């Protein structure tokens, strides 16, 4: 048995076999090879012991978009378990500042107190990054019956206020139908929330660094004359695992890289129809060159100057499988997805830059690994 294994180690799998292992098959009505082996990256009879150098050689990162609020990048040479760990950490474990407690003094609007508090909690805020990430610390939740203000300090609590009353606009026409013109403060927006700095918060959250809503035009409530909303709010740090309002990402998702293989030439009118089966930019049309037309067995014989279908950007494909519905393309195209190529999309809610979020998820996973390592060491003692 050992000699057989050594023999297989001396004969590594072919490039075709490696590609087959790394591809999820997309057929007309089925998806094949969706599961990995019992131990990812390992196959019977092959010496595939983990090596940091081997991982570095196969792993790479490529950014497609890197804006403050949106980032798109590819992680290549990674197992799905790690990619999904990053996604879950992004959603649930990176801390963010959000409204946790709402103290309502007066609410005569049509929105119930608890619904109003919930709407306020879901408003994303931004401010001085140094103050949010470094100065502000965790807040300890008070025990039942304990004074809720007792544990609130400038280094763990941010105070906000909202005091709006709707009145009749004396300058509006008597037959005005738009309530935003007929009344003052008919609509209550996130921009009506006022930040009240306390203690050393003035040093971190002043001027351009003040705590403000990411989107000032978020509608909170609609009022009519003599209706009032008067309340104060406390913001604390939290994580998405406790409540979605603490999640620093609006979306954090990934998809596998699509693969499109043209097995046989697709020429002329068929090429135009084939291109329309995919989103714009995935398939392009090129002229068949005289060299290709003169090459025996190429499939382009006597087709010089005609248009042929070529794959230019498979990443734009949505894998709709539209091309597989047409009989003229049967046996001419093979669709799939790369098993180790993950296209991430991260949309920040404002308190972190989108690329910072991914680096923060890497730090969290590294810390988890260190804790697990220490626990294993303690178990072995």
């Amino acid at each position: 048995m050992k000699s057989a294994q050594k023999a297989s180690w001396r004969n590594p799998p072919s490039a075709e076999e490696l590609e087959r292992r790394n591809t999820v098959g997309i057929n007309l009505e089925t998806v094949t090879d969706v599961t990995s082996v019992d131990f990812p990256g390992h196959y019977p009879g092959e010496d595939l012991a983990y090596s940091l150098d081997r991982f570095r050689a196969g792993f790479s990162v490529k950014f497609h978009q890197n804006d403050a609020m949106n980032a798109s990048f590819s992680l290549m040479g990674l197992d799905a378990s790690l990619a999904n760990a990053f996604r879950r950490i992004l959603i649930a474990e990176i801390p963010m500042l959000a409204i946790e407690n709402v103290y309502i003094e007066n609410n005569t609007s049509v929105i119930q107190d608890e619904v109003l508090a919930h709407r306020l909690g879901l408003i994303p805020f931004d401010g001085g990054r140094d103050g949010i990430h470094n100065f502000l610390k965790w807040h300890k939740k008070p025990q039942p019956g304990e004074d809720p203000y007792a544990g609130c300090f400038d280094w763990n609590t941010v105070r906000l206020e909202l005091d709006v009353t709707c009145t009749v606009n004396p300058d509006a026409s008597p037959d005005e139908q738009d309530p935003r013109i007929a009344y003052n403060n008919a609509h209550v927006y996130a921009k009506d929330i006022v930040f009240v700095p306390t203690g050393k918060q003035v040093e971190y959250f002043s001027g351009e660094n003040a705590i403000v809503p990411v989107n000032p035009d978020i509608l909170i409530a609609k009022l009519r004359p003599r209706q009032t909303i008067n309340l104060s709010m406390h913001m604390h740090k939290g994580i998405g695992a406790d409540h979605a309002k603490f999640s620093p990402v609006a979306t954090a998702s990934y998809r596998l890289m699509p693969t499109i293989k043209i097995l046989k030439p697709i020429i002329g009118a068929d090429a135009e129809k084939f291109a329309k089966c995919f989103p714009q930019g995935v398939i392009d049309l090129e002229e068949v060159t005289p060299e290709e037309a003169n090459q025996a067995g190429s499939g382009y014989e006597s087709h010089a100057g005609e248009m042929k279908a070529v794959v230019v950007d498979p990443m734009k494909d949505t894998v709709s499988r539209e091309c597989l519905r047409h009989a003229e393309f049967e046996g001419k195209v093979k669709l799939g997805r790369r098993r180790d190529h993950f296209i991430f999309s991260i949309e920040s809610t404002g308190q972190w830059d989108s690329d910072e979020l991914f680096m923060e998820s890497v730090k969290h996973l590294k810390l988890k690994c260190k804790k697990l390592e220490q626990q294993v060491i303690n178990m072995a003692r």
Side-chain angles (χ1 to χ4, degrees):
M1 182 64 180
K2 291 182 179 180
S3 61
Q5 287 182 345
K6 289 180 179 179
S8 67
W9 295 346
R10 289 194 296 268
N11 298 297
S14 63
E16 291 78 9
E17 171 62 14
L18 290 175
E19 185 177 1
R20 185 197 66 78
R21 292 177 179 179
N22 202 28
T23 302
V24 177
I26 307 294
N27 305 316
L28 178 59
E29 296 180 348
T30 60
V31 179
T32 61
D33 304 306
V34 293
T35 57
S36 182
V37 291
D38 292 340
F39 300 95
H42 293 265
Y43 292 86
E46 297 182 25
D47 183 11
L48 296 172
Y50 178 80
S51 165
L52 189 58
D53 292 334
R54 180 185 296 168
F55 175 78
R56 285 173 175 166
F59 178 72
S60 60
V61 180
K62 180 181 179 181
F63 267 86
H64 310 297
Q65 179 186 2
N66 189 13
D67 300 328
M69 300 297 287
N70 291 279
S72 177
F73 54 90
S74 290
L75 298 183
M76 294 163 279
L78 206 65
D79 185 70
S81 58
L82 279 175
N84 199 46
F86 290 135
R87 183 189 67 85
R88 292 174 67 93
I89 291 172
L90 283 166
I91 293 172
E93 299 189 34
I94 297 178
M96 196 182 92
L97 191 68
I99 295 173
E100 175 69 359
N101 297 317
V102 179
Y103 303 96
I104 298 176
E105 298 291 336
N106 188 17
N107 174 26
T108 57
S109 70
V110 296
I111 302 180
Q112 300 94 330
D113 291 355
E114 59 272 23
V115 176
L116 179 60
H118 184 263
R119 291 177 66 87
L120 291 168
L122 293 177
I123 298 174
F125 285 81
D126 196 8
R129 299 297 174 85
D130 183 37
I132 292 176
H133 301 321
N134 300 320
F135 170 69
L136 291 177
K137 310 301 180 185
W138 295 96
H139 174 266
K140 184 178 179 181
K141 195 171 183 178
Q143 297 297 324
E146 189 178 351
D147 182 6
Y149 287 92
C152 295
F153 304 96
D154 59 347
W155 46 265
N156 67 6
T157 303
V158 173
R159 188 166 179 262
L160 305 172
E161 289 184 350
L162 177 62
D163 188 2
V164 180
T165 300
C166 181
T167 58
V168 176
N169 182 7
D171 299 327
S173 173
D175 57 352
E176 178 61 56
Q177 297 298 313
D178 189 344
R180 292 170 296 181
I181 300 176
Y183 312 124
N184 297 317
N185 301 322
H187 290 182
V188 183
Y189 295 100
K191 60 188 176 186
D192 297 319
I193 297 175
V194 178
F195 165 56
V196 183
T198 56
K200 292 189 68 176
Q201 291 178 3
V202 179
E203 301 176 17
Y204 295 92
F205 305 116
S206 296
E208 295 181 354
N209 292 327
I211 301 291
V212 294
V214 174
N215 185 346
D217 296 325
I218 295 176
L219 181 63
I220 298 174
K222 294 183 179 181
L223 303 180
R224 290 300 178 263
R226 295 182 299 278
Q227 290 184 347
T228 297
I229 294 178
N230 181 13
L231 51 84
S232 61
M233 297 156 277
H234 283 182
M235 301 180 73
H236 301 304
K237 271 189 174 182
I239 57 175
D242 294 330
H243 195 286
K245 66 185 178 185
F246 293 116
S247 182
V249 294
T251 57
S253 61
Y254 62 79
R255 61 189 177 99
L256 294 178
M257 177 71 171
T259 60
I260 306 169
K261 280 193 172 184
I262 297 178
L263 306 177
K264 296 179 182 179
I266 302 176
I267 308 170
D270 284 352
E272 295 181 7
K273 183 177 180 179
F274 185 74
K276 292 179 181 178
C277 292
F278 296 86
Q280 189 174 5
V282 177
I283 304 296
D284 199 4
L285 302 180
E286 295 181 359
E287 283 192 5
V288 177
T289 63
E291 292 78 10
E292 291 174 324
N294 295 329
Q295 185 178 354
S298 66
Y300 296 113
E301 297 91 338
S302 70
H303 291 289
E306 294 187 41
M307 304 305 290
K308 66 175 181 178
V310 293
V311 181
V312 291
D313 192 358
M315 194 181 78
K316 294 180 179 179
D317 186 27
T318 57
V319 195
S320 66
R321 298 189 273 194
E322 172 67 18
C323 65
L324 301 180
R325 295 177 57 247
H326 304 283
E328 55 265 43
F329 304 133
E330 187 173 353
K332 292 185 178 181
V333 60
K334 177 63 178 173
L335 304 180
R337 286 182 181 268
R338 271 194 60 182
R339 193 188 300 276
D340 68 341
H341 187 149
F342 301 90
I343 305 171
F344 269 80
S345 177
I346 297 177
E347 181 182 355
S348 171
T349 56
Q351 286 183 24
W352 298 84
D353 287 343
S354 53
D355 56 345
E356 286 181 330
L357 283 168
F358 179 70
M359 296 307 298
E360 198 69 18
S361 70
V362 174
K363 294 178 184 177
H364 276 66
L365 185 59
K366 182 178 179 180
L367 183 61
K368 286 175 178 286
C369 292
K370 287 186 175 181
K371 289 181 179 179
L372 178 61
E373 179 186 27
Q374 187 58 49
Q375 289 171 354
V376 172
I377 292 173
N378 294 338
M379 289 172 60
R381 286 176 178 172

